[in-house]
Amino acid sequence: MLLSVIIPVYRTELTLQRCVESVLNQDVDDMEVILVDDGSPDNCPELCDEWAEKDNHIKVIHKTNGGLSDARNAGIDVATGDYITFVDSDDWIADHTYATLLHSMDDNDILEYPIADRLPLQNHVYHDADTYWLHSQAYLHTYAWNKLYKRSLFDDIRYPVGKVFEDVYTLPLLLRAATTIATTDKGCYHYCYNPEGISAKADGDALSMLLDAHLLSGMPIDDEYYLHLANIQSDVFEHTHTAAKLSPRRIDYRHLHGTKKIKAILLNTLGINKLCRISKFIHLFKSPSRW
């Protein structure tokens, strides 16, 4: 069972060694590590080549800069493994993670594992995408990198070039192509927050793409998911002042508590457009935090 680990590389010369070492320390001999130098202007291209000379598990692709989606796609195009996973080059993987997870991949098309200090998971198997999406609230953690995938899922699927929040566009497609999706409490992905990253510095256009990705996904929407979408819609309105794309919905707030319950009552009473205006007004007087 060959595992292809795809690592897009761009401006991460200070963290690349930690990332690559963590992957090579996985106790998985049947593994190829594909470093995709996305036209990085620092020392990353040379560091990638040095790694390839030191370890025959490593392949290097040098390409002109095309963004994260394009880099992932370049890795997918040359991957020869039965399974694919991704790592961002400023993150790292806990020891023994992949060896443990691969034992479960015979029975699953997608396997999601925990993220340190961010996403604990339980052992659960889902036989349809809709149940996984809502039960595990997968819409909150659509990340490409804390999952293993059967390579065949990518036969007709690639990440959208030119889009930000590309994971939100792509995961629903992969879920629809999958038969069995599982979560596990084994293994650990160490994510490093980047204050200069897209998520941290998203503007109105980026947030609009995020909202569109959710609304066009075709995935089911329950009350909890709708409240999440209402948060995104509020952020989009705050940046762009455009009318809401999110359709009205009456929410059963009896099972909700705290600010979620208050927001649900306001949505039922005022509607999404007026709630967006109230949210913008509140943010004029306090630091922006999702309420």
Side-chain angles (χ1 to χ4, degrees):
M1 296 190 301
L2 179 65
L3 174 65
S4 297
V5 183
I6 298 171
I7 306 177
V9 179
Y10 186 76
R11 291 185 181 273
T12 51
E13 62 183 3
L14 298 180
T15 59
L16 183 60
Q17 179 169 333
R18 179 185 64 186
C19 174
V20 175
E21 286 181 347
S22 77
V23 172
L24 294 176
N25 289 337
Q26 289 300 304
D27 296 329
V28 178
D29 289 329
D30 204 7
M31 176 176 69
E32 62 179 7
V33 181
I34 303 170
L35 300 178
V36 184
D37 162 34
D38 190 33
S40 187
D42 55 8
N43 290 322
C44 282
E46 292 78 11
L47 293 174
C48 288
D49 290 337
E50 289 174 8
W51 272 110
E53 291 176 3
K54 290 189 291 186
D55 196 297
N56 59 13
H57 289 96
I58 294 178
K59 302 177 181 179
V60 177
I61 298 172
H62 296 290
K63 58 183 290 298
T64 57
N65 180 252
L68 180 56
S69 287
D70 197 47
R72 284 181 182 159
N73 292 341
I76 294 169
D77 288 343
V78 302
T80 61
D82 304 288
Y83 306 106
I84 284 178
T85 192
F86 302 94
V87 186
D88 283 358
S89 54
D90 44 8
D91 302 336
W92 79 98
I93 309 296
D95 290 349
H96 313 300
T97 290
Y98 290 157
T100 302
L101 298 179
L102 283 169
H103 289 301
S104 300
M105 285 306 294
D106 282 342
D107 302 320
N108 301 299
D109 295 323
I110 299 175
L111 180 63
E112 182 177 26
Y113 64 99
I115 305 169
D117 304 318
R118 188 181 181 97
L119 180 67
L121 290 170
Q122 302 298 318
N123 296 315
H124 203 98
V125 177
Y126 301 90
H127 295 286
D128 71 275
D130 291 356
T131 303
Y132 164 74
W133 188 255
L134 296 179
H135 181 269
S136 75
Q137 295 187 311
Y139 50 84
L140 297 177
H141 41 97
T142 60
Y143 321 115
W145 26 258
N146 71 318
K147 301 169 181 72
L148 270 64
Y149 314 84
K150 281 193 175 175
R151 171 64 178 81
S152 58
L153 295 180
F154 288 95
D155 284 350
D156 300 308
I157 296 173
R158 291 294 185 272
Y159 288 90
V161 177
K163 299 286 188 181
V164 293
F165 297 104
E166 66 289 327
D167 299 346
V168 186
Y169 284 91
T170 309
L171 181 59
L173 300 176
L174 295 168
L175 295 178
R176 293 299 187 199
T179 301
T180 305
I181 305 147
T183 59
T184 179
D185 61 0
K186 304 294 191 299
C188 188
Y189 187 99
H190 288 271
Y191 165 79
C192 294
Y193 175 74
N194 181 2
E196 298 300 315
I198 292 171
S199 297
K201 302 184 73 172
D203 58 12
D205 288 340
L207 291 167
S208 293
M209 287 186 196
L210 173 61
L211 182 61
D212 286 344
H214 280 287
L215 296 180
L216 297 173
S217 71
M219 302 305 289
I221 300 175
D222 61 8
D223 287 346
E224 290 278 354
Y225 186 18
Y226 187 87
L227 289 173
H228 174 64
L229 295 177
N231 282 340
I232 301 172
Q233 179 67 82
S234 294
D235 287 338
V236 171
F237 177 83
E238 188 167 341
H239 284 79
T240 68
H241 312 294
T242 55
K245 297 178 182 179
L246 184 62
S247 299
R249 178 190 182 104
R250 288 200 65 82
I251 298 174
D252 182 1
Y253 54 79
R254 292 172 296 179
H255 65 291
L256 300 175
H257 304 280
T259 57
K260 283 187 177 181
K261 186 168 186 174
I262 295 171
K263 174 167 275 190
I265 293 171
L266 289 173
L267 278 166
N268 288 350
T269 305
L270 302 174
I272 184 64
N273 279 298
K274 287 184 178 179
L275 186 68
C276 287
R277 293 187 179 93
I278 291 172
S279 179
K280 181 182 178 183
F281 179 78
I282 291 172
H283 289 164
L284 293 175
F285 298 98
K286 58 182 284 191
S287 60
S289 61
R290 290 275 47 89
W291 61 292

